[in-house]
Amino acid sequence: MPSVDLHTHTTASDGSCTPFELVSMANQLGLVALAITDHDTIDGLSEGLQAAKQYGMEVIPGVEISTEFRDEMHILGYYIDRTSQQLQEGLIMLQEFRNERNPRIIKRLAELGVPVTMEDIEKQAGGKVIGRPHIAQALMKKGYVESVNDAFSRFLARGKVAYFPKEKLTPSQGVRLIADAGGIPVLAHPKDLKLTEWELDAVIKDLKAHGLQGIEVWYSTHTEAETTQYLKLAKKYDLAATGGSDYHGFSKPAISLGKGMGELQVDYKCVEQLKARRK
Ligand code: AMP
Ligand code: ZN
Ligand code: FE
Ligand code: FE
């Protein structure tokens, strides 16, 4: 089976490749399909779909919505209708949640002796979604931290000195936002929820009742045992099994497009499962 990557980020959110560069890279790597799933924005999709035509490659319009669950739960959405008014309004709201938090982080960083300005941060962002990854890059540019990861673990991650919570949708609201735009909602990287097997089972059962249609089974950081566990859950609840690397480029240097940390291989079968669920 040919390989695909169904979880990637571009400069429209916090990736370092433009949508065009990403499609070109995927094509060069021999991937047969690519989903662009930027955080809380669909602004990269039109360029990505344009590039898809040029390269004769299958590009799936997607998005990754951040929602509130203990820390965070990410919901991927595939085959969303980019013209949906409801979706556009929902995404603008999510951007505003970030915009409310950013000045507080900036103020705290100044108090901590590592000042960066809003302009410094905007320079690191390619689009309208401006968040902690761009603050991390600005801190790095100023020489205060060694890497994006260093910025998160010293200042920006939950519980660290410059952390401020942001307002979020609930998981079921995230699922509904995608479903209302004709998209297929899929639980992203279940490993990151840090739940026991039983807790995850209950969460998935509940999300399915709210419209969840898939689980991201194959993912850069999932172990073989976890992959098996998530695949079993997908089968148990009749959900699509999908996979992707979560390629970001520069800010997550250990993750490669298509290959994840080296071992990842996502089958075209995942795309077929998504297509079978399109209305
Ligand atoms: P925000 O949306 O502004 O809260 O930022 C969250 C995003 O930052 C996540 O979705 C990740 O893409 C990114 N992120 C979180 N932790 C790290 C880390 N340790 N290294 C790099 N990127 C991170
Ligand atoms: Zn990201
Ligand atoms: Fe995510
Ligand atoms: Fe992601």
Side-chain angles (χ1 to χ4, degrees), residues 1 3 9 15 20 42 63 68 71 81 90 95 101 144 162-163 174 181 184-185 188 206 208 214 223 227 229 277:
M1 267 270 180
S3 293
H9 295 270
F20 191 90
I42 54 172
V63 69
E68 178 100 55
D71 185 6
D81 171 10
Q95 282 161 28
R101 178 183 59 174
Y144 300 138
Y163 175 78
I184 303 169
D206 179 64
K208 179 172 165 138
T223 63
T227 302
Q229 181 201 339
R277 284 165 197 270

Side-chain angles (χ1 to χ4, degrees), residues 7 9 37 39 64 74 189 219 246 248:
H7 189 157
H9 295 270
T37 55
H39 298 288
E64 182 178 22
H74 290 176
H189 39 67
Y219 186 73
D246 209 356
H248 278 70

Side-chain angles (χ1 to χ4, degrees), residues 38-271:
D38 277 307
H39 298 288
D40 305 334
T41 182
I42 54 172
D43 290 348
L45 296 182
S46 72
E47 184 184 316
L49 293 167
Q50 196 64 37
K53 261 191 219 156
Q54 196 170 320
Y55 286 98
M57 214 186 127
E58 187 171 351
V59 170
I60 297 161
V63 69
E64 182 178 22
I65 307 279
S66 310
T67 73
E68 178 100 55
F69 179 86
R70 295 188 185 178
D71 185 6
E72 280 203 4
M73 177 190 284
H74 290 176
I75 313 283
L76 292 159
Y78 294 106
Y79 295 109
I80 40 154
D81 171 10
R82 292 180 295 137
T83 65
S84 158
Q85 192 68 30
Q86 249 171 315
L87 178 65
Q88 278 161 9
E89 280 166 14
L91 295 177
I92 286 169
M93 189 170 71
L94 296 175
Q95 282 161 28
E96 280 165 4
F97 291 167
R98 275 198 185 75
N99 295 343
E100 280 162 19
R101 178 183 59 174
N102 289 335
R104 304 166 75 190
I105 300 179
I106 291 171
K107 184 160 172 274
R108 177 61 57 82
L109 289 172
E111 289 163 4
L112 291 165
V114 288
V116 288
T117 64
M118 197 58 213
E119 291 76 66
D120 297 332
I121 295 160
E122 279 166 356
K123 260 188 243 160
Q124 303 303 318
K128 293 185 218 117
V129 174
I130 300 170
R132 286 180 294 168
H134 307 106
I135 299 175
Q137 285 166 31
L139 286 167
M140 197 178 146
K141 203 121 218 186
K142 295 236 158 169
Y144 300 138
V145 296
E146 278 171 9
S147 64
V148 169
N149 207 24
D150 189 27
F152 271 90
S153 51
R154 282 171 58 198
F155 299 108
L156 302 171
R158 185 183 169 92
K160 302 300 172 177
V161 283
Y163 175 78
F164 289 90
K166 95 177 169 235
E167 208 180 322
K168 293 186 196 104
L169 301 179
T170 64
S172 60
Q173 286 173 325
V175 165
R176 197 165 328 127
L177 188 61
I178 291 163
D180 285 348
I184 303 169
V186 172
L187 175 64
H189 39 67
K191 181 193 184 101
D192 289 10
L193 297 176
K194 302 184 180 80
L195 300 174
T196 66
E197 257 185 84
W198 309 116
E199 286 171 330
L200 182 62
D201 188 296
V203 163
I204 283 168
K205 189 175 177 184
D206 179 64
L207 284 175
K208 179 172 165 138
H210 286 96
L212 189 78
Q213 292 205 58
I215 304 177
E216 188 171 50
V217 169
W218 295 275
Y219 186 73
S220 295
T221 60
H222 291 169
T223 63
E224 236 179 276
E226 285 161 345
T227 302
T228 306
Q229 181 201 339
Y230 305 146
L231 188 58
K232 253 165 76 183
L233 272 174
K235 285 189 175 139
K236 178 174 175 186
Y237 288 107
D238 185 29
L239 295 164
T242 73
S245 66
D246 209 356
Y247 178 74
H248 278 70
F250 161 78
S251 72
K252 293 187 182 176
I255 296 171
S256 307
L257 186 63
K259 290 241 163 290
M261 317 242 269
E263 302 292 296
L264 187 73
Q265 216 233 317
V266 184
D267 241 72
Y268 190 77
K269 206 162 54 184
C270 295
V271 176

